[in-house]
Coordinates of all heavy atoms in Angstrom, one line a residue:
L129 N 0.9 -1.2 0.0 CA 0.0 0.0 0.0 C 0.9 1.3 0.0 O 0.6 2.2 -0.7 CB -0.9 0.0 1.2 CG -2.3 -0.5 1.1 CD1 -3.0 -0.5 2.5 CD2 -3.1 0.4 0.1
E130 N 1.8 1.3 0.9 CA 2.7 2.4 1.0 C 3.6 2.7 -0.1 O 3.9 3.9 -0.6 CB 3.5 2.4 2.3 CG 4.4 3.5 2.7 CD 3.6 4.9 2.8 OE1 2.4 4.8 3.0 OE2 4.4 5.9 2.8
D131 N 4.2 1.7 -0.8 CA 5.0 1.8 -1.9 C 4.3 2.4 -3.1 O 4.8 3.3 -3.7 CB 5.6 0.4 -2.2 CG 6.5 0.6 -3.5 OD1 7.6 1.1 -3.3 OD2 6.2 0.0 -4.6
A132 N 3.0 1.8 -3.2 CA 2.2 2.3 -4.4 C 1.7 3.8 -4.0 O 1.8 4.6 -5.1 CB 0.9 1.5 -4.5
R133 N 1.6 4.1 -2.8 CA 1.3 5.6 -2.5 C 2.4 6.5 -2.8 O 2.2 7.5 -3.5 CB 0.9 5.7 -1.1 CG 0.4 7.0 -0.7 CD 0.5 7.3 0.8 NE 1.9 7.2 1.4 CZ 2.8 8.3 1.3 NH1 2.4 9.4 0.8 NH2 3.9 8.2 1.8
Q134 N 3.6 6.0 -2.4 CA 4.9 6.9 -2.6 C 5.1 7.2 -4.1 O 5.6 8.2 -4.5 CB 5.9 6.3 -2.0 CG 5.9 6.3 -0.4 CD 7.2 5.6 0.2 OE1 8.1 5.3 -0.5 NE2 7.1 5.5 1.5
R135 N 4.7 6.1 -4.9 CA 5.0 6.3 -6.4 C 3.9 6.9 -7.2 O 4.1 7.0 -8.5 CB 5.4 4.8 -6.9 CG 6.6 4.2 -6.4 CD 6.7 2.7 -6.8 NE 7.9 2.1 -6.3 CZ 8.9 2.0 -6.9 NH1 9.1 2.4 -8.1 NH2 10.1 1.3 -6.4
A136 N 2.8 7.2 -6.6 CA 1.6 7.7 -7.3 C 1.5 9.2 -7.0 O 1.6 9.7 -5.9 CB 0.4 7.0 -6.9
A137 N 1.1 10.0 -8.0 CA 0.9 11.4 -7.8 C -0.6 11.6 -7.8 O -1.1 12.6 -7.2 CB 1.4 12.1 -9.0
T138 N -1.5 10.7 -8.3 CA -2.9 10.9 -8.3 C -3.6 9.7 -7.7 O -3.0 8.6 -7.6 CB -3.4 11.2 -9.7 OG1 -3.2 10.0 -10.5 CG2 -2.7 12.3 -10.4
L139 N -4.9 9.9 -7.4 CA -5.7 8.7 -7.0 C -5.7 7.6 -8.0 O -5.6 6.5 -7.6 CB -7.2 9.2 -6.6 CG -8.1 8.1 -6.1 CD1 -7.6 7.4 -4.9 CD2 -9.5 8.7 -5.9
G140 N -5.8 8.0 -9.2 CA -5.9 6.9 -10.4 C -4.6 6.2 -10.4 O -4.6 5.0 -10.6
Q141 N -3.5 6.8 -10.2 CA -2.2 6.1 -10.3 C -2.1 5.2 -9.1 O -1.5 4.1 -9.2 CB -1.1 7.2 -10.4 CG -0.9 7.9 -11.6 CD 0.1 9.0 -11.6 OE1 0.9 9.1 -10.6 NE2 0.1 9.8 -12.7
W142 N -2.5 5.6 -7.9 CA -2.4 4.8 -6.7 C -3.1 3.5 -6.9 O -2.6 2.4 -6.7 CB -2.9 5.6 -5.5 CG -2.6 4.9 -4.2 CD1 -1.6 4.1 -3.9 CD2 -3.4 4.9 -3.0 NE1 -1.6 3.7 -2.6 CE2 -2.9 4.2 -2.0 CE3 -4.6 5.7 -2.8 CZ2 -3.3 4.0 -0.7 CZ3 -5.1 5.5 -1.4 CH2 -4.5 4.7 -0.5
V143 N -4.4 3.6 -7.4 CA -5.2 2.4 -7.6 C -4.6 1.5 -8.7 O -4.6 0.4 -8.6 CB -6.7 2.8 -7.9 CG1 -7.5 1.5 -8.2 CG2 -7.2 3.5 -6.7
G144 N -4.2 2.2 -9.8 CA -3.6 1.5 -10.9 C -2.4 0.6 -10.5 O -2.3 -0.5 -10.8
R145 N -1.5 1.2 -9.6 CA -0.4 0.5 -9.2 C -0.8 -0.6 -8.2 O -0.2 -1.7 -8.4 CB 0.6 1.5 -8.4 CG 1.3 2.3 -9.4 CD 2.4 3.2 -8.7 NE 3.2 3.9 -9.6 CZ 4.3 3.3 -10.1 NH1 4.7 2.1 -9.7 NH2 5.1 3.9 -11.0
L146 N -1.8 -0.5 -7.4 CA -2.2 -1.6 -6.5 C -2.8 -2.8 -7.3 O -2.5 -3.9 -7.1 CB -3.2 -1.0 -5.4 CG -2.7 -0.1 -4.5 CD1 -3.8 0.5 -3.6 CD2 -1.7 -0.8 -3.6
M147 N -3.6 -2.3 -8.3 CA -4.3 -3.4 -9.1 C -3.2 -4.2 -9.9 O -3.3 -5.4 -10.1 CB -5.4 -2.8 -10.1 CG -6.5 -2.2 -9.3 SD -7.5 -3.5 -8.4 CE -8.3 -4.4 -9.9
A148 N -2.2 -3.4 -10.4 CA -1.1 -4.1 -11.1 C -0.3 -5.0 -10.2 O 0.1 -6.0 -10.6 CB -0.2 -3.0 -11.8
R149 N -0.1 -4.5 -8.9 CA 0.6 -5.3 -8.0 C -0.1 -6.6 -7.6 O 0.4 -7.7 -7.5 CB 0.8 -4.5 -6.8 CG 1.3 -5.3 -5.5 CD 2.8 -5.9 -5.7 NE 3.1 -6.8 -4.5 CZ 2.6 -8.0 -4.2 NH1 1.8 -8.6 -5.0 NH2 3.1 -8.6 -3.2
L150 N -1.5 -6.5 -7.5 CA -2.3 -7.6 -7.1 C -2.5 -8.7 -8.3 O -2.5 -9.9 -8.0 CB -3.6 -7.2 -6.6 CG -3.7 -6.4 -5.3 CD1 -5.1 -5.9 -5.0 CD2 -3.2 -7.4 -4.2
F151 N -2.6 -8.1 -9.5 CA -3.1 -9.0 -10.6 C -2.2 -9.0 -11.9 O -2.5 -9.7 -12.9 CB -4.5 -8.7 -11.0 CG -5.5 -8.8 -9.9 CD1 -6.0 -7.7 -9.3 CD2 -5.8 -10.0 -9.4 CE1 -6.9 -7.9 -8.3 CE2 -6.8 -10.2 -8.4 CZ -7.3 -9.1 -7.8
G152 N -1.1 -8.2 -11.9 CA -0.2 -8.2 -13.0 C 0.4 -9.5 -13.3 O 0.5 -9.9 -14.5
R153 N 0.8 -10.2 -12.2 CA 1.4 -11.5 -12.5 C 0.4 -12.5 -13.2 O 0.8 -13.5 -13.8 CB 1.9 -12.0 -11.2 CG 0.8 -12.7 -10.3 CD 1.2 -13.0 -8.9 NE 1.1 -11.9 -8.0 CZ 1.1 -12.0 -6.7 NH1 1.4 -13.1 -6.1 NH2 1.0 -10.9 -6.0
D154 N -0.9 -12.2 -13.1 CA -1.9 -13.1 -13.7 C -2.2 -12.7 -15.1 O -3.1 -13.3 -15.8 CB -3.2 -13.1 -12.9 CG -2.9 -13.5 -11.5 OD1 -2.6 -14.7 -11.2 OD2 -2.9 -12.6 -10.5
G155 N -1.6 -11.6 -15.6 CA -1.9 -11.1 -16.9 C -2.9 -10.1 -17.2 O -3.4 -9.8 -18.2

């Protein structure tokens, strides 16, 4: 959560990074 927050400038980027972290490995 915190890493995605630090790398995000907007709410959209924060959620995008979290979804990529949770499901990117699944394609």
Side-chain angles (χ1 to χ4, degrees):
L129 263 180
E130 180 60 16
D131 180 70
R133 183 199 67 81
Q134 291 177 8
R135 294 170 180 266
T138 65
L139 178 60
Q141 290 174 10
W142 189 31
V143 175
R145 285 185 169 277
L146 290 173
M147 294 295 288
R149 167 62 182 82
L150 291 174
F151 300 108
R153 78 189 86 167
D154 305 293

